[in-house]
Amino acid sequence: MGSGIAAHLANIGIPTLLLDIVPKEVSKDEEAKGITLEHPAVRNKFAETAIQKLLKQKPAPLTAKKNLQLITVGNLEDDLEKLKDVDWIIEVVVENLEVKKSLYEKIDAVRKPGTIISSNTSGISINAMVEGLSEDFGKHFLGTHFFNPPRYLKLLEVIPATTTAPEVVEFMKQFGEDVLGKGVVIAKDTPNFIANRIGTYGLLVTLREMQARGYSVGEVDSVTGPLIGRPKSATFRTLDVVGLDTFAHVAKNVYDQTSGEEQKVFEVPAFMQKMLENKWLGAKSGQGFFLKEGKEIKELNPETLEYEAMKKLKTPSMEMAKQQKGLAAKVKTLTYAKDRTGELLWSILSPTLIYSAQLHGEIADDIVAIDQAMKWGFGWQQGPFEIWDAIGVNESVEKMTAEDLEVPAFVQSLLDKGFTSFYKEENGDQYYFDGSDYSLVSVNEKVIDLKRYKKKHGVIKSNSGASLIDLGDGVALLEFHSKSNSIGLDILQMISFAVDEVEKNFKGLVIGNQGKNFSVGANLGMILMEAQDDNIFELDFVVRQFQNAMLKIKYSAKPVVVAPFGMTLGGGAETCLPAAHIQASSETYMGLVEAGVGLIPGGGGNKELYIKHLKGLPNGVEIDYLTVASKVFETIAMAKVSTSGEEARENNFLNFVDGISVNPDHLIYDAKQVVLALAEGGYKAPIREKVPVSGSPGYAALILGAEGMLLSGYISEHDLKIAKKLAYVIAGGEVPYGTLVDEQYLLNLEREAFLSLVADPKSQARMQHMLVKGKPLRN
């Protein structure tokens, strides 16, 4: 966990010192080499080993391998003095109060006044840790509970001690959101804080109800995953990933600090104790609730502790829920269903909702913090109080009362005041019930929620694929909202309209959205349908429209900034490349992937990536156009996709002036600020210039490499055909080396190659396979 936090800090660009304990003995290999305990390689071994593991872990903790340079290793004996030079000390040692306090005494002796110290504890009392330490230490000490893995999980629980200065708490909240890119909630110093307290309770209730009602592991997971707005790992895959030993430790922490009925829930069931004894810990041990035998995944029978064929729950309510629009309607349909799905959901949701309401005021000051903690820490799409609103507070309380369940006073006070929901929305602003009335939900000024923003400010123009919105301060936003944000004629028309409108009435344009991904590319289904109907003329028209829309972005008189995130593939990447600036999310997975469906980019992506490579080279350096062409060819032919915004920069989809936003919630705001800066800096559209190409020599060299791959068995005949088309486009055709060609000439080559491939039956088979199976076909 310590190295994971260090990696997250390094990803942001913060130099970090990683200190660990000194080994008590040398290994046999070290002893054979004559290395003693006094050797630096031995004394720093634990920290060094931890950061080397960062390079092998999946999912990758580092956004780029070069970030490792920002982490310096050391040990807690030789390097403790170095802590006097740092601004923030994070303790991530073993979950033992005495060990932690002993370390703090040593830190207090060397730290400079004003240095912030925090513990990444998942549940030990923050106040107990700080007892007996200096006044300045106490003022600057608090809990900062990261969730694992730190790069990917959004939640950061900040837990003040009674001694923590208010300005330190406020600073850490702001720093956590703006610099660390986290969703920060202020938690109280109670067992397991917010997310683990409620999340562990919910998981244990699910285990209890599964056994009591005779459901199987697979049946529970088929209900408690995406169907109700939870992660794909649902209940038991989540436990396998987390590790049963880790889960049991977290549960015991609450068990030891509670009593009565609450304590009973946190008692790990007997069958799980047996699993722990058997070392069936989940993914880390190769088996847990699930076991993979060959290609088959089997589930554990908790009664017999034997593995059986997977079962899934199939009920009428599950089919009915799929017909409902929106998650709230789906969850309500399932919760009140008179079948085994409804019985299971009600039996696990009702106690969890009651428990969350009972803890209001104890674990956090408001319901917003509780809901956000569960969404950001456990991947729930709705927090407990949002779920309560979804299923209806009145309706659910009536059912609870009928079943003699105790309705918490906090919930009763809501109903007594005549209110029917924990949240309400007015004029695009969100309010929450605070125990007596509704209060405005506090939001960081950098968070722009487009759904609420549109309700408050309306839209300039909209069609089925996109909407143009006035973001204020003279900046417009073009939002994609087609299925999967795939790009069709509707979006292309809106791009053209948006650029024209912005040139007349705005300072600049942001192209961005808040869908699941920025864009998965062009509408492949539409392309295949037209190709199978032999409508090449229609496809030619669509490709020309795409190319023209990209040129409008590039040569707009006003700056266009694109804000990609998540999957930014094919046409999504092509939309980014011609922009005046790309403001990417740290988690941006960008690539021109058309080769995977038997095509090449057709909207200008080949040309723009080639130009981006050329522009990235230093002035005055003699350019080898063949080397540049080879890099671009490899990136596109291999359908390389970046694993982060930083890697997108390494692949030249971003250049050195393009930006990366660490907090995804701030992406639209950051892009808007870039537009304003460019406009205020006197932005001028780029001048149309001719492009130098590698020509015939480049084409020959690229083809030679591809033919070698065919002879080696790495690619098929059809792969070679695609490679030849791509090589011809990137080389600029059969012209002399260094020839300056017009952009339109390159676009024509690109369009012709795209259309010839789209008409090929083997490429159509690849497109069909991708649409049906979701993965590439190698024919």
Side-chain angles (χ1 to χ4, degrees):
M1 191 64 187
S3 61
I5 295 171
H8 184 68
L9 297 172
N11 291 336
I12 297 162
I14 299 174
T16 303
L17 178 63
L18 182 66
L19 306 183
D20 209 328
I21 59 174
V22 175
K24 293 180 179 177
E25 56 185 26
V26 294
S27 67
K28 289 181 180 178
D29 286 345
E30 290 162 343
E31 191 175 3
K33 293 175 184 175
I35 299 175
T36 69
L37 278 174
E38 300 309 309
H39 196 284
V42 174
R43 297 181 73 77
N44 297 340
K45 180 169 63 176
F46 290 152
E48 182 63 47
T49 301
I51 67 162
Q52 290 308 314
K53 283 181 180 176
L54 294 175
L55 296 170
K56 299 174 185 176
Q57 286 175 22
K58 290 184 179 180
L62 296 163
T63 55
K65 290 179 181 178
K66 64 179 176 60
N67 296 342
L68 214 56
Q69 301 169 38
L70 288 169
I71 304 175
T72 304
V73 299
N75 67 74
L76 289 166
E77 292 180 15
D78 305 328
D79 302 298
L80 206 63
E81 284 285 333
K82 293 178 181 177
L83 296 184
K84 70 179 188 302
D85 300 319
V86 306
D87 302 302
W88 179 20
I89 300 165
I90 311 172
E91 169 269 303
V92 201
V93 304
V94 65
E95 289 285 76
N96 180 296
L97 179 60
E98 295 312 312
V99 172
K100 289 177 186 289
K101 291 194 73 168
S102 173
L103 178 60
Y104 295 154
E105 287 171 5
K106 294 173 184 175
I107 290 171
D108 204 8
V110 297
R111 64 179 278 276
K112 66 188 175 192
T115 301
I116 292 172
I117 319 98
S118 69
S119 173
N120 184 63
T121 179
S122 59
I124 292 180
S125 170
I126 304 300
N127 286 302
M129 289 187 210
V130 78
E131 283 177 7
L133 293 159
S134 70
E135 183 182 352
D136 188 78
F137 189 104
K139 283 183 179 178
H140 296 89
F141 180 75
L142 70 172
T144 51
H145 182 210
F146 289 81
F147 274 60
N148 199 20
R151 172 182 165 183
Y152 299 98
L153 283 186
K154 185 174 177 177
L155 180 61
L156 176 64
E157 291 177 323
V158 169
I159 313 102
T162 53
T163 58
T164 314
E167 61 270 23
V168 172
V169 179
E170 184 55 39
F171 169 79
M172 284 307 298
K173 185 177 191 303
Q174 201 74 30
F175 181 79
E177 291 172 352
D178 293 351
V179 181
L180 301 180
K182 293 295 180 184
V184 178
V185 297
I186 305 299
K188 295 195 175 185
D189 187 19
T190 55
N192 284 15
F193 313 128
I194 302 174
N196 277 344
R197 180 80 170 268
I198 293 173
T200 305
Y201 181 92
L203 285 166
L204 285 164
V205 163
T206 304
L207 287 167
R208 181 188 72 192
E209 295 301 322
M210 175 189 73
Q211 284 191 285
R213 298 171 186 274
Y215 291 86
S216 79
V217 163
E219 285 177 331
V220 171
D221 267 12
S222 63
V223 174
T224 58
L227 190 68
I228 61 167
R230 304 281 174 85
K232 285 182 181 178
S233 55
T235 299
F236 293 103
R237 286 194 190 281
T238 296
L239 286 170
D240 273 0
V241 170
V242 169
L244 268 67
D245 52 345
T246 303
F247 175 76
H249 171 79
V250 173
K252 187 177 185 302
N253 192 51
V254 183
Y255 180 86
D256 290 343
Q257 298 180 66
T258 52
S259 59
E261 289 301 315
E262 181 181 12
Q263 187 182 56
K264 286 180 184 176
V265 176
F266 283 94
E267 185 175 1
V268 172
F271 81 86
M272 191 182 279
Q273 291 288 5
K274 188 66 177 173
M275 291 173 72
L276 290 166
E277 291 169 18
N278 292 347
K279 304 294 183 187
W280 297 353
L281 306 179
K284 66 176 79 173
S285 66
Q287 70 184 98
F289 285 102
F290 297 97
L291 174 67
K292 190 172 184 181
E293 291 185 349
K295 291 186 177 180
E296 186 183 5
I297 296 175
K298 293 188 171 182
E299 64 176 52
L300 183 75
N301 182 325
E303 301 302 319
T304 64
L305 288 184
E306 293 178 354
Y307 290 94
E308 303 173 350
M310 282 272 287
K311 302 179 189 71
K312 287 190 177 180
L313 200 60
K314 290 184 179 179
T315 61
S317 66
M318 293 171 80
E319 293 304 314
M320 285 174 60
K322 290 174 185 175
Q323 311 305 317
Q324 301 295 322
K325 284 191 175 181
L327 179 61
K330 291 180 196 293
V331 172
K332 186 169 186 177
T333 298
L334 292 164
T335 303
Y336 295 121
K338 305 293 185 184
D339 59 23
R340 277 175 60 77
T341 299
E343 180 188 327
L344 174 64
L345 266 187
W346 176 257
S347 71
I348 60 180
L349 278 183
S350 55
T352 305
L353 298 183
I354 289 170
Y355 188 63
S356 300
Q358 287 170 339
L359 293 175
H360 173 263
E362 180 184 334
I363 60 173
D365 283 330
D366 55 63
I367 64 171
V368 179
I370 293 172
D371 280 346
Q372 287 176 336
M374 297 316 299
K375 291 192 288 185
W376 295 339
F378 275 71
W380 295 9
Q381 286 184 43
Q382 296 175 316
F385 296 95
E386 291 171 323
I387 293 171
W388 217 321
D389 280 354
I391 66 174
V393 181
N394 274 320
E395 196 172 344
S396 60
V397 167
E398 282 176 15
K399 187 167 183 180
M400 289 171 183
T401 304
E403 294 177 0
D404 291 328
L405 298 175
E406 186 179 346
V407 178
F410 175 68
V411 180
Q412 196 58 53
S413 67
L414 174 91
L415 298 175
D416 290 345
K417 290 182 177 295
F419 301 147
T420 58
S421 65
F422 288 103
Y423 291 95
K424 69 173 185 176
E425 210 170 282
E426 288 181 2
N427 301 319
D429 291 322
Q430 191 181 29
Y431 295 81
Y432 70 95
F433 181 63
D434 62 12
S436 58
D437 205 343
Y438 286 101
S439 294
L440 183 67
V441 174
S442 176
V443 179
N444 188 312
E445 65 169 357
K446 296 180 181 179
V447 175
I448 299 173
D449 185 311
L450 291 180
K451 280 186 182 176
R452 292 204 178 94
Y453 191 91
K454 285 188 290 185
K455 286 179 184 177
K456 195 168 188 175
H457 301 281
V459 298
I460 298 167
K461 185 177 180 179
S462 182
N463 67 15
S464 58
S467 296
L468 186 64
I469 305 160
D470 185 346
L471 268 188
D473 302 316
V475 179
L477 171 89
L478 181 63
E479 176 198 22
F480 297 169
H481 46 63
S482 61
K483 186 178 180 182
S484 300
N485 288 336
S486 63
I487 299 170
L489 279 173
D490 48 3
I491 285 181
L492 297 176
Q493 288 164 0
M494 283 299 295
I495 289 173
S496 182
F497 172 82
V499 173
D500 290 342
E501 179 68 18
V502 165
E503 285 184 331
K504 292 177 197 168
N505 300 312
F506 290 86
K507 294 177 181 178
L509 175 69
V510 172
I511 298 179
N513 63 73
Q514 291 173 339
K516 186 177 178 182
N517 296 292
F518 175 74
S519 173
V520 297
N523 188 331
L524 188 62
M526 179 273 291
I527 293 170
L528 177 61
M529 185 175 67
E530 297 292 352
Q532 289 176 333
D533 289 345
D534 206 25
N535 287 337
I536 302 303
F537 176 80
E538 180 71 22
L539 284 171
D540 179 75
F541 172 77
V542 172
V543 176
R544 286 176 189 271
Q545 291 293 99
F546 204 134
Q547 291 180 344
N548 290 338
M550 298 305 102
L551 288 174
K552 287 199 84 163
I553 288 173
K554 183 171 184 175
Y555 293 110
S556 167
K558 302 289 179 67
V560 177
V561 175
V562 185
F565 61 93
M567 286 197 286
T568 304
L569 306 176
E574 288 183 294
T575 304
C576 298
L577 287 167
H581 184 96
I582 300 172
Q583 185 65 33
S585 170
S586 182
E587 298 303 325
T588 300
Y589 316 123
M590 187 180 288
L592 295 168
V593 296
E594 287 82 354
V597 290
L599 305 172
I600 70 164
N606 309 284
K607 165 184 71 79
E608 287 300 336
L609 188 59
Y610 177 72
I611 291 172
K612 198 113 181 175
H613 272 70
L614 290 177
K615 298 275 187 187
L617 297 171
N619 289 330
V621 173
E622 187 175 345
I623 299 172
D624 180 354
Y625 302 123
L626 177 54
T627 300
V628 175
S630 295
K631 286 182 179 177
V632 175
F633 176 79
E634 182 184 341
T635 300
I636 300 174
M638 302 295 287
K640 287 185 178 180
V641 177
S642 70
T643 60
S644 66
E646 278 295 340
E647 197 171 283
R649 199 193 302 278
E650 291 176 358
N651 293 347
N652 280 97
F653 284 94
L654 276 61
N655 61 27
F656 68 96
V657 296
D658 291 324
I660 295 176
S661 296
V662 179
N663 192 324
D665 293 340
H666 297 179
L667 183 59
I668 298 293
Y669 174 90
D670 292 344
K672 176 183 174 181
Q673 300 314 303
V674 174
V675 168
L676 292 171
L678 289 170
E680 287 162 14
Y683 178 79
K684 295 285 187 294
I687 299 167
R688 291 179 184 255
E689 297 176 319
K690 291 197 171 184
V691 183
V693 295
S694 59
S696 297
Y699 177 60
L702 295 176
I703 291 303
L704 188 64
E707 287 177 338
M709 291 184 75
L710 175 70
L711 292 171
S712 303
Y714 287 110
I715 63 173
S716 68
E717 288 280 359
H718 193 57
D719 289 324
L720 180 62
K721 181 176 183 178
I722 298 165
K724 284 182 175 179
K725 297 282 186 184
L726 178 62
Y728 193 79
V729 170
I730 291 171
E734 297 191 48
V735 297
Y737 177 88
T739 299
L740 293 170
V741 299
D742 187 74
E743 272 187 280
Q744 190 58 53
Y745 165 79
L746 290 174
L747 286 173
N748 291 342
L749 292 182
E750 202 168 301
R751 189 177 68 256
E752 290 160 11
F754 179 90
L755 293 172
S756 68
L757 286 169
V758 86
D760 191 297
K762 287 191 175 180
S763 284
Q764 291 178 16
R766 289 191 178 192
M767 288 186 271
Q768 180 87 32
H769 193 269
M770 178 60 76
L771 288 167
V772 174
K773 302 286 187 181
K775 55 186 178 182
L777 170 69
R778 289 297 174 202
N779 57 348

